[in-house]
Amino acid sequence: MTQISPVTAPPHTPEAAPSIVRTVDSRRTGPLRRVGEWFRGGGVSTFVFLLPLLFSFIFFSWKPIVDSAIMAFQTTNLISAPEFVWFDNFSRVLQDPLLGTAVVNTLYFAVLALLLGYPIPLVVAVLMSEVRRRRGLYSALAYLPVVVPPVVSALLWKFFYDASPTGVFNTILSWFGGGPLPWLQDQASAMPSLVLFATWSAAGGTIIIYLAAIVGVAPELYDAAEVDGAGVWRKVWHVTMPQLRGVLLVTFILQIIGTAQVFLEPFLFTGGGPANSTMTVLLLIYKYAFQNSLGGDYGAATALSLMLAIVLAVFSMIYFRLTRSWSTS
């Protein structure tokens, strides 16, 4: 017969007893002690100072977002009581033939803006970093278009885009034997004209970001590159660009998000025309909400807004997931 040996308790040592007592005491007094430390550490005053910020975010930022998400499943005119229609708004938006045109135009604007507006600020910032005198003046001049009110800029550029032979851009083209061009009145040239204006008006902020990052690069790296015989181009490619990799990745996704939400340029210049060639997703949302002859279709507008937000959020998550190792290596 097999004999079962009794279970023996671990030997009691004099050193183990105080630790057990301390563990029991910490479990009993841990939360109270942390609350006391929070009070003594100025937690109440921190919470009081935080309250206005929390109030502002909750009622002016997060609550409208939640209300908009709920409105996407309702039909309402903002006067009578809303009625839940669930996915009818989404179905109506997806069946709108203008949605495909708006998506294609938005993608076209985004691609043109990336091709034109992404490298130009970087090149300008690199050139400005090589300037030894009056860099502040050049930085102020580069940032000046950002501080000009958009409506004022649009009125100024509408004057530039005048389709008559005496327009500013057509006059410049005539010096080289070209033009005149119907800049905003032609379906082929309307969207590139908007991209040119958007690049001019927004490049200043990106230039300042790139210039700050370039100035922060350790000078020893450039000195070592010069000792190795590197020229300007090789220093930019092998020293500057790797140091700016994280900044470049962030500005790239910010520019994609910004171009996907383009509204101001087509709204101020063309109103979506000619023949819907500059109709974008955000301009379509605006038309749903405020330019419907039968009254504002706020349910369709918020449904399309919610779909756009989800698409951008998923794209951003995938982008940061794919570039996480590259941006930190």
Side-chain angles (χ1 to χ4, degrees):
M1 177 180 291
T2 305
Q3 186 177 2
I4 301 174
S5 60
V7 177
T8 58
H12 176 73
T13 58
E15 294 78 6
S19 64
I20 295 174
V21 173
R22 283 197 300 270
T23 303
V24 173
D25 291 342
S26 64
R27 287 177 181 175
R28 291 177 179 175
T29 62
L32 293 176
R33 187 179 60 184
R34 285 195 291 271
V35 171
E37 292 176 351
W38 183 73
F39 270 97
R40 289 192 297 272
V44 176
S45 59
T46 303
F47 183 72
V48 169
F49 281 110
L50 190 62
L51 273 179
L53 185 63
L54 285 176
F55 179 82
S56 301
F57 268 100
I58 290 174
F59 286 93
F60 298 108
S61 181
W62 297 335
K63 185 177 182 300
I65 294 175
V66 175
D67 290 342
S68 299
I70 296 174
M71 192 183 296
F73 299 94
Q74 296 175 332
T75 175
T76 177
N77 56 5
L78 301 181
I79 299 175
S80 59
E83 179 184 356
F84 272 95
V85 294
W86 301 112
F87 292 96
D88 288 355
N89 292 327
F90 294 90
S91 176
R92 192 167 65 256
V93 169
L94 292 175
Q95 293 176 2
D96 187 354
L98 203 54
L99 177 63
T101 303
V103 172
V104 171
N105 289 337
T106 303
L107 292 176
Y108 182 41
F109 182 92
V111 171
L112 288 180
L114 286 176
L115 292 177
L116 185 64
Y118 191 69
I120 287 180
L122 180 60
V123 173
V124 174
V126 171
L127 294 177
M128 289 175 61
S129 66
E130 297 294 327
V131 176
R132 302 303 176 190
R133 299 179 58 187
R134 298 178 180 176
R135 184 185 297 172
L137 175 62
Y138 297 136
S139 300
L141 292 176
Y143 195 73
L144 185 61
V146 180
V147 301
V148 177
V151 176
V152 176
S153 302
L155 292 175
L156 181 66
W157 277 69
K158 273 188 175 181
F159 176 71
F160 292 164
Y161 281 140
D162 187 0
S164 65
T166 58
V168 175
F169 287 158
N170 282 335
T171 301
I172 296 174
L173 285 178
S174 66
W175 297 344
F176 302 95
L181 295 178
W183 298 92
L184 299 173
Q185 288 75 29
D186 185 71
Q187 297 183 35
S189 60
M191 188 63 83
S193 301
L194 298 185
V195 172
L196 185 62
F197 168 76
T199 302
W200 171 83
S201 61
T206 313
I207 290 174
I208 296 302
I209 293 174
Y210 287 149
L211 187 61
I214 293 173
V215 172
V217 177
E220 294 81 8
L221 297 176
Y222 292 109
D223 296 338
E226 287 181 356
V227 171
D228 292 338
V232 175
W233 168 247
R234 295 188 65 184
K235 285 193 294 184
V236 170
W237 185 253
H238 294 288
V239 178
T240 305
M241 296 298 289
Q243 297 296 317
L244 298 183
R245 189 161 44 190
V247 177
L248 291 173
L249 289 174
V250 172
T251 55
F252 185 78
I253 187 64
L254 289 179
Q255 184 157 358
I256 289 179
I257 294 174
T259 53
Q261 298 176 344
V262 57
F263 169 76
L264 197 62
E265 290 81 4
F267 178 74
L268 292 177
F269 280 94
T270 61
N276 293 324
S277 60
T278 58
M279 175 65 68
T280 60
V281 174
L282 248 64
L283 193 58
L284 183 59
I285 293 172
Y286 175 80
K287 286 184 176 294
Y288 281 152
F290 303 109
Q291 291 190 346
N292 194 331
S293 59
L294 301 178
D297 192 351
Y298 304 108
T302 52
L304 184 53
S305 302
L306 188 60
M307 287 192 285
L308 177 63
I310 292 174
V311 169
L312 291 179
V314 172
F315 178 80
S316 301
M317 291 173 60
I318 296 174
Y319 175 83
F320 282 113
R321 181 77 176 177
L322 294 177
T323 60
R324 182 173 54 184
S325 60
W326 191 52
S327 61
T328 56
S329 61

